[in-house]
Amino acid sequence: MHVTHLSLADFRSYARAEVPLDPGVTVFVGANGQGKTNLVEAVGYLATLGSHRVSSDAPLVRMGAERAVVRAAVTQGERSQLIELELNPGRANRARVNRSSQVRPRDVLGIVRTVLFAPEDLALVKGDPGERRRFLDELVTARSPRMAGVRSDYERVLKQRNTLLKSTAMARRHGGRSMDLSTLDVWDQHLARVGAELLVQRLDLIATLQPLADKAYADVAPGGGPVALDYRSSVGPEGAASRSREELYEQVMAALAGARKQEIERGVTLVGPHRDDLVLGLRGMPAKGYASHGESWSYALALRLASYDLLRGEGNEPVLILDDVFAELDTRRRERPSWWPPASRCW
Ligand SMILES: Nc1ncnc2c1ncn2[C@@H]1O[C@H](COP(=O)(O)OP(=O)(O)O)[C@@H](O)[C@H]1O
Ligand SMILES: [Mg+2]
């Protein structure tokens, strides 16, 4: 896949921008604040319908303008497509594919695929488990787009189960009727069924990513590894990658049964994939809390490079975007890194 042209209107600092892109490596060079990251962010938006820097769309619209438009021409094999997103903060965004009538914005997902490294990725290593779960689930979805539906099903089931637990907890506190536990049994089964599906995919992903991450870290920081990716599950001992969906279903069900009393007291779901973490090990220690700033940066970069290798190896080659990648690497690690694309392709 190749983005052949990027076109912006009132996006961030750009009133208008037309950026033709050749196959191979493109390097944007410029002073601070010149708009390099803004370009990267626009491409990332087409791939994810969100920014890697801000959680709402408003800052993406040029100050004083009402809406922003991001357009891209994308070539995949013989096929070329033109996609267009109109960002309307506070109102629904609009999308078009090939100038035809409107489609839902999420229908453009999958046309542009990216792996993006940005300074914000430091949070993958230093931040809360939620950052790492999102990393896993986004990659799971990039490998297998149908997982987008599984993820939203899980969110929905979790929300409804939490609502039920909360109202039960409230009723108990105020001496109300004790709940009908058979309703909760049904939600347990839903949660375990969808949760097991997500777990299977996360565990398979981690097993596949592990050797690639170790290699990428060795390339970024020679001699600095090894790295180990270790899934910590709230449903019990870390599942081996070979564990089947049925076994994981039973494991989630057992964990829910074990946690039920406490869940009813607290009014919230305490076990399941939404409570899990990916422990990033570096030389036998967790990177979080132990690794230096530069090592954490190298680790986050290695995770993105490994993601790119994984998707490319599986025939889903994305666009690799590296923003400010050298900012925190020491000079030895900046000099002609082996993971950098061949210089002959740079311009
Ligand atoms: N919504 C906006 N409207 C106008 N200018 C903006 C908007 N958002 C960001 N900018 C400007 O964009 C610039 C940052 O661009 P950026 O791409 O992050 O720079 P860099 O080239 O250093 O990566 C800043 O000068 C900022 O003022
Ligand atoms: Mg920048």
Side-chain angles (χ1 to χ4, degrees):
M1 193 218 29
H2 165 210
V3 178
T4 55
H5 194 97
L6 177 69
S7 167
L8 306 178
D10 291 330
F11 184 89
R12 288 283 197 187
S13 52
Y14 295 101
R16 290 206 65 90
E18 298 296 335
V19 188
L21 296 160
D22 285 338
V25 179
T26 300
V27 184
F28 296 118
V29 183
N32 287 341
Q34 199 154 338
K36 305 178 294 294
T37 300
N38 294 345
L39 294 175
V40 159
E41 191 176 33
V43 178
Y45 196 96
L46 291 169
T48 62
L49 301 182
S51 156
H52 69 285
R53 291 198 283 194
V54 287
S55 55
S56 80
D57 287 347
L60 306 181
V61 175
R62 193 167 67 95
M63 192 56 79
E66 238 173 64
R67 66 180 68 85
V69 178
V70 182
R71 251 186 234 111
V74 183
T75 300
Q76 164 102 58
E78 303 281 282
R79 188 160 182 230
S80 287
Q81 296 189 84
L82 190 66
I83 66 176
E84 179 180 313
L85 285 175
E86 185 184 286
L87 280 57
N88 299 302
R91 286 179 298 126
N93 290 345
R94 285 141 56 110
R96 270 177 216 281
V97 176
N98 296 330
R99 296 209 174 83
S100 65
S101 55
Q102 276 187 47
V103 296
R104 291 171 305 180
R106 67 183 148 106
D107 292 334
V108 312
L109 287 174
I111 299 178
V112 174
R113 293 185 304 277
T114 59
V115 167
L116 168 62
F117 170 81
E120 286 76 5
D121 283 337
L122 209 49
L124 281 180
V125 181
K126 298 194 177 203
D128 293 336
E131 303 278 352
R132 290 175 289 280
R133 287 194 298 266
R134 184 147 51 94
F135 166 74
L136 289 176
D137 291 346
E138 283 176 359
L139 200 47
V140 153
T141 310
R143 288 179 96 187
S144 153
R146 73 171 185 92
M147 289 303 293
V150 173
R151 282 169 68 191
S152 60
D153 284 351
Y154 188 81
E155 292 303 318
R156 187 176 44 80
V157 171
L158 179 64
K159 210 167 146 196
Q160 291 180 344
R161 191 172 182 278
N162 280 341
T163 304
L164 184 64
L165 283 170
K166 198 184 249 167
S167 61
T168 309
M170 294 287 280
R172 279 170 60 110
R173 250 172 251 151
H174 298 101
R177 273 190 315 126
S178 64
M179 81 178 297
D180 176 8
L181 288 177
S182 63
T183 315
L184 193 55
D185 287 342
V186 174
W187 285 109
D188 284 7
Q189 288 160 19
H190 286 320
L191 193 89
R193 184 175 46 77
V194 189
E197 186 136 15
L198 196 53
L199 285 171
V200 167
Q201 297 293 331
R202 284 187 187 172
L203 292 169
D204 181 69
L205 169 66
I206 291 164
T208 314
L209 196 62
Q210 161 69 50
L212 299 173
D214 196 45
K215 182 184 168 300
Y217 193 86
D219 287 343
V220 173
V227 307
L229 309 182
D230 194 9
Y231 193 69
R232 283 292 153 81
S233 183
S234 59
V235 303
E238 298 84 275
S242 57
R243 202 161 286 187
S244 70
R245 190 163 53 183
E246 291 69 29
E247 286 167 317
L248 288 163
Y249 173 86
E250 294 303 336
Q251 206 181 337
V252 180
M253 286 298 282
L256 288 170
R260 176 167 282 194
K261 190 161 164 286
Q262 219 190 343
E263 286 190 334
I264 291 177
E265 271 162 23
R266 299 198 21 204
V268 63
T269 302
L270 295 171
V271 295
H274 66 290
R275 288 282 180 138
D276 294 353
D277 196 2
L278 171 66
V279 178
L280 303 172
L282 180 62
R283 294 193 307 278
M285 293 169 276
K288 183 175 173 170
Y290 288 83
S292 75
H293 187 75
E295 284 176 326
S296 302
W297 183 276
S298 300
Y299 209 134
L301 174 59
L303 288 175
R304 294 300 184 191
L305 293 172
S307 305
Y308 173 70
D309 283 342
L310 182 144
L311 294 172
R312 192 174 51 163
E314 293 179 347
N316 289 316
E317 183 163 13
V319 177
L320 178 64
I321 304 177
L322 304 171
D323 192 15
D324 272 341
V325 67
F326 294 125
E328 306 271 349
L329 295 182
D330 55 37
T331 39
R332 190 169 51 89
R333 291 174 182 183
R334 287 183 200 191
E335 277 166 13
R336 286 212 273 154
S338 56
W339 48 271
W340 191 250
S344 57
R345 293 171 64 213
C346 294
W347 53 267

